[in-house]
Amino acid sequence: MKLNELLLTRSENKCELCKSEEPLNVYEVPPQTYSDQDNCIFICEKCQSQIEKRAELDSTHWHCLTESMWSEIPGVQTVSWRMLNRLKQESWAADNLEMIYLNDEALAWAKATGDHENDGAVDLHRDSNGAILQNGDTVILTRSLDVKGSTLNAKMGTVVKNIRLVPDNTEQIEGKIEGQLIVILTKYVRKQNA
């Protein structure tokens, strides 16, 4: 039986964290050297985007951990423990952290990413007004920019379509101006309203 089929059967076609029936994805709980049914879980996009810090942490959504933390599946236990730690400033999460039990091996795995040492804050790409930027958005330059290594001067008000977020730097995006791909600081753009 394929991994997807095993997870689908085990999860009863529901997110193994929040029980949502939205479209589900296989989430390989890091770190791992190979994927199997113990270290992979089936989760919805809302859970996955918050776990991967691509969306703001919605503490009310994570009340589901009160139930999922008791799962016998190591991957579910590990993710539950990590998310409870990210939410530990909430009294319900702190209470659950005191109750959750992970054996030594599972606890070592849960701590391996260091995610439990971080707070629930998420660094997202934001424009000059604080609006969240996504891949594919259209932005407008809020000031004229000289492009390093080029004679190109990008004028204030220039529209940059189909931007790409720079993965490891929330202060930078990439976009094409006059056919040239450039890196732009997010503090010099504003998201164009749809």
Side-chain angles (χ1 to χ4, degrees), residues 9 40-41 64 78 80 112 117 123 133 144 146 150 157 173 176:
T9 302
C40 292
I41 59 177
C64 61
T78 297
S80 296
E117 296 170 353
D123 288 333
L133 298 171
S144 294
D146 289 323
S150 168
I173 59 171
K176 282 190 176 182

Side-chain angles (χ1 to χ4, degrees), residues 29-33 39 82 109 112-113:
V29 182
Q32 57 178 259
T33 53
N39 62 16
R82 288 176 183 168
W109 180 29
T113 60

Side-chain angles (χ1 to χ4, degrees), residues 29-78:
V29 182
Q32 57 178 259
T33 53
Y34 63 93
S35 300
D36 69 13
Q37 63 185 4
D38 287 336
N39 62 16
C40 292
I41 59 177
F42 238 11
I43 58 175
C44 67
E45 178 57 34
K46 184 169 187 174
C47 285
Q48 187 168 355
S49 63
Q50 291 181 45
I51 289 167
E52 294 176 344
K53 297 183 178 182
R54 292 183 285 117
E56 297 275 353
L57 210 51
D58 175 3
S59 65
T60 54
H61 173 78
W62 292 105
H63 282 273
C64 61
L65 297 174
T66 304
E67 184 180 328
S68 63
M69 71 181 210
W70 300 111
S71 173
E72 293 180 13
I73 301 153
V76 175
Q77 292 172 351
T78 297

Side-chain angles (χ1 to χ4, degrees), residues 25-181:
N25 304 307
V26 174
Y27 178 67
E28 297 176 353
V29 182
Q32 57 178 259
T33 53
Y34 63 93
S35 300
D36 69 13
Q37 63 185 4
D38 287 336
N39 62 16
C40 292
I41 59 177
F42 238 11
I43 58 175
C44 67
E45 178 57 34
K46 184 169 187 174
C47 285
Q48 187 168 355
S49 63
Q50 291 181 45
I51 289 167
E52 294 176 344
K53 297 183 178 182
R54 292 183 285 117
E56 297 275 353
L57 210 51
D58 175 3
S59 65
T60 54
H61 173 78
W62 292 105
H63 282 273
C64 61
L65 297 174
T66 304
E67 184 180 328
S68 63
M69 71 181 210
W70 300 111
S71 173
E72 293 180 13
I73 301 153
V76 175
Q77 292 172 351
T78 297
V79 172
S80 296
W81 186 87
R82 288 176 183 168
M83 294 308 293
L84 285 169
N85 270 281
R86 283 178 53 194
L87 293 159
K88 64 186 167 209
Q89 76 282 0
E90 304 268 341
S91 60
W92 65 268
D95 291 344
N96 284 331
L97 266 174
E98 290 180 17
M99 290 188 286
I100 192 171
Y101 171 77
L102 273 70
N103 64 34
D104 292 341
E105 185 180 329
L107 186 58
W109 180 29
K111 289 180 176 180
T113 60
D115 194 35
H116 66 287
E117 296 170 353
N118 301 328
D119 60 12
V122 177
D123 288 333
L124 299 171
H125 288 74
R126 295 183 183 273
D127 73 1
S128 59
N129 297 327
I132 296 172
L133 298 171
Q134 303 286 336
N135 282 320
D137 280 348
T138 298
V139 296
I140 299 169
L141 298 183
T142 58
R143 66 180 269 187
S144 294
L145 303 172
D146 289 323
V147 179
K148 290 182 182 177
S150 168
T151 58
L152 178 67
N153 180 286
K155 302 279 185 221
M156 182 172 105
T158 299
V159 175
V160 183
K161 296 180 180 181
N162 200 23
I163 64 164
R164 192 180 74 73
L165 306 180
V166 174
D168 297 327
N169 188 339
T170 57
E171 295 178 2
Q172 297 179 342
I173 59 171
E174 291 180 342
K176 282 190 176 182
I177 296 179
E178 295 181 19
Q180 186 174 343
L181 183 65

Side-chain angles (χ1 to χ4, degrees), residues 18-30:
C18 73
K19 304 298 182 216
S20 168
E21 294 183 15
E22 292 178 18
L24 304 172
N25 304 307
V26 174
Y27 178 67
E28 297 176 353
V29 182

